[in-house]
Structure formats: C-alpha cells, structure tokens
C-alpha cells in the first residue's frame, strides 16, 4: 500500500488554530485536523503505532492529518472507500477526548475500535477476536454522567451483525459477547475479573464502554473488536511488535463491517 508521507518519515500537520481572524482554519484541540481531512468512518486502535501500521499496510494513498501528542491519524482509502485511522491512547478518559472531537467537530458517523484485550475464559486463545456486544466497566464515568444509575453501553447492531458475518471468513476464531472496560491496567482487585467471567464476560480492555456511551450520546455508530493479546488465566502473551503489526484479520473485519 502507498502512503504520501512515506514510511519512516515524520508525519507533518498544521499548527494549532490561532483564530479565523488570522486566516487559519479552525481545528480541534487534541486532533488538530482541518475540516474535511477526516473521513466519516474511522478505525480507532489504542496504539498510535498500530494506526500507522494500518495506514501503511491496509490503506491506499494514506496521508497523515495529525501527530499531536504523538497520537497519529491518517486518511486513505480501502476498496475505494474513504476511511481514517485515529489512535486513541489507553483508557476511557483518553479515548473520550478523541471521540468527542471526532463526533462533535468532524461529524464522524461511525467508529470501530480495533484494539487488544486480555482473555478471561479458556474458550479464547491468543489472537482470537472478541466482537463486543456490550461493555461492562468499573469506571465511575457513566455513574457520574447518569447520577448513580448503571447505564448499559452496547454496540450498534448493524455493525455488530456485519462484523460477525465478516469474521466467519477469517483464519482466526471469533466470539460475540461482553468486554470489561477496566479503569486500571494493574487492577488492585484482580479477583473481581474472575467474577465478571462467571457472568459471561469474555475479556478485559480499557476503552469500549466510553466508545459505546459517547456514540449513543451523539447518535453515531460504534463497535469494538478486540484481538486477544494476552491470557489472564494462562499467562500467555504476545509481544509489543506482534500487538502492533499482526492483528490484520481484525482490521479486515472492521473495514468490511463498515463498508459492506
């Protein structure tokens, strides 16, 4: 695949907005892209290097629209469809910043998270895919938003159905079910994850709950697809490079779901 910025070269982007009175185009605070630079459909990995890998290997004619705070964003085409790839960083607060700007300031219509997760069940192995129908969480973000009520963040059904169909043609196993979006990577009460597994939660990650909640608020489509990068029960894990560059089937499923 081709990229205009060139492999190994720095991603260039415009400086921050200094106001229309100076003749500069308006930009969001944390993404910094000009209007029209971001497509209506966005893939969202947590790792900005995975975003770059996706742009370099999966998209045609990709251009970089941001590297603010090292969080790369690219726009290119896939099978003739215009699509962007935007890194989100780790955790619900980080992804929430980027989602709010994508939905409110760039009119993005659909976001599919393509991330990694830790398996909580023996029914999953390394590199299996979890297509998240919903997301549990220990975060207080939604309890604050809903004044103590427990909101149930769920996926867009159309994207979920199409992703499930697309996953059947991939060389890895896939499951549809619940993710647990944790606020802590190094959790002080790891035994609580086992309780989640007893109630059918398949894997743990750190972003899906915020994605589904904010998509619902902005009336947009959202889906989280995660590849198992490590196994909580067995201790197996992939390397950082493998997490960055070997999750191609997940990206293919996400793109197919968005454009089929």
């Amino acid at each position: 695949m081709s990229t205009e910025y060139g492999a190994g070269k720095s991603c260039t982007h415009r400086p921050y907005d200094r106001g229309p009175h100076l003749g500069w185009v308006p930009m969001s605070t944390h993404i910094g892209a000009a209007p029209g630079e971001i497509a209506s459909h966005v893939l969202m990995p947590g790792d900005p290097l995975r975003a770059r890998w996706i742009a370099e290997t999966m998209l045609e004619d990709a251009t970089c629209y941001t590297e603010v705070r090292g969080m790369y964003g690219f726009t290119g085409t896939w099978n003739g469809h215009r699509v962007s790839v935007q890194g989100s960083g780790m955790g619900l607060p980080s992804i929430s910043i980027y989602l709010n700007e994508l939905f409110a300031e760039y009119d993005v219509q659909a976001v599919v998270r393509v991330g990694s997760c830790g398996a909580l069940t023996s029914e999953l192995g390394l590199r299996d895919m979890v297509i998240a129908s919903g997301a549990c969480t220990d975060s207080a973000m939604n309890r604050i938003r809903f004044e103590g009520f427990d909101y149930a963040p769920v996926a867009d059904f159309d994207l979920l159905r199409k992703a499930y169909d697309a996953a059947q043609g991939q060389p890895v196993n896939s499951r549809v079910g619940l993710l647990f979006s944790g606020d802590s990577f190094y959790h002080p009460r790891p035994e609580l994850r086992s309780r989640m597994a007893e109630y059918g939660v398949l894997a743990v990650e750190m972003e899906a709950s915020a994605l589904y909640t904010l998509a619902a608020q902005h009336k947009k489509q959202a889906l989280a697809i995660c590849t198992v990068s490590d196994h909580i029960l067995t201790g197996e894990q992939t390397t950082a490079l493998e997490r960055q560059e070997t999750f191609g089937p997940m990206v293919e499923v996400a793109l197919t779901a968005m454009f089929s």
Side-chain angles (χ1 to χ4, degrees), residues 30-31 44-46 48 69 71 86-101 141 183 206-207 210 214:
H30 299 91
I31 297 177
M44 182 165 270
R69 293 175 176 258
M71 198 60 66
Q86 173 64 55
S88 72
M90 296 178 66
L92 281 78
S94 183
I95 195 173
S96 295
I97 289 172
Y98 294 98
L99 288 170
N100 273 298
E101 294 184 15
M141 291 181 71
D183 240 0
M206 300 184 72
E207 290 83 28
L214 291 172

Side-chain angles (χ1 to χ4, degrees), residues 24-209:
W24 290 26
V25 293
M27 300 177 184
S28 70
T29 302
H30 299 91
I31 297 177
E37 289 189 316
I38 301 177
S40 63
H41 290 65
V42 176
L43 294 174
M44 182 165 270
D47 185 353
L49 294 181
R50 190 182 306 142
R52 187 173 68 182
W53 179 82
I54 292 170
E56 291 177 344
T57 60
M58 310 289 283
L59 304 185
E60 294 285 352
D61 302 319
T63 59
C64 181
Y65 58 77
T66 187
E67 60 174 349
V68 176
R69 293 175 176 258
M71 198 60 66
Y72 294 123
F74 305 88
T75 296
T77 60
W78 179 80
N79 288 353
H81 300 283
R82 191 166 181 261
V83 60
S84 293
V85 186
Q86 173 64 55
S88 72
M90 296 178 66
L92 281 78
S94 183
I95 195 173
S96 295
I97 289 172
Y98 294 98
L99 288 170
N100 273 298
E101 294 184 15
L102 289 173
F103 290 144
E105 302 191 45
Y106 296 101
D107 197 29
V108 166
Q109 298 300 306
V111 172
V112 178
R113 164 165 158 70
V114 281
S116 58
C117 63
L120 294 174
T121 171
S122 59
E123 297 175 9
L124 290 172
L126 290 185
R127 297 186 181 82
D128 285 354
M129 280 188 293
V130 176
I131 304 170
S133 55
C136 310
T137 186
D138 60 355
S139 171
M141 291 181 71
N142 275 357
R143 289 195 172 186
I144 294 170
R145 180 186 297 270
F146 294 100
E147 300 182 50
F149 283 16
D150 286 319
Y151 176 74
V154 297
D156 176 81
F157 179 76
D158 188 51
L159 284 176
L160 179 68
R161 176 179 57 83
K162 291 178 179 178
Y164 172 80
D165 290 342
Q168 305 315 300
Q170 292 296 327
V172 296
N173 295 321
S174 61
R175 289 284 306 275
V176 174
L178 293 173
L179 288 174
F180 175 74
S181 299
D183 240 0
S184 302
F185 187 87
Y186 300 105
H187 205 286
R189 298 278 306 277
E191 71 275 8
L192 297 181
R193 291 175 173 172
S194 299
R195 190 177 305 169
M196 282 285 173
E198 291 172 3
Y199 283 78
V201 176
L202 298 176
V204 58
E205 51 85 71
M206 300 184 72
E207 290 83 28
S209 176

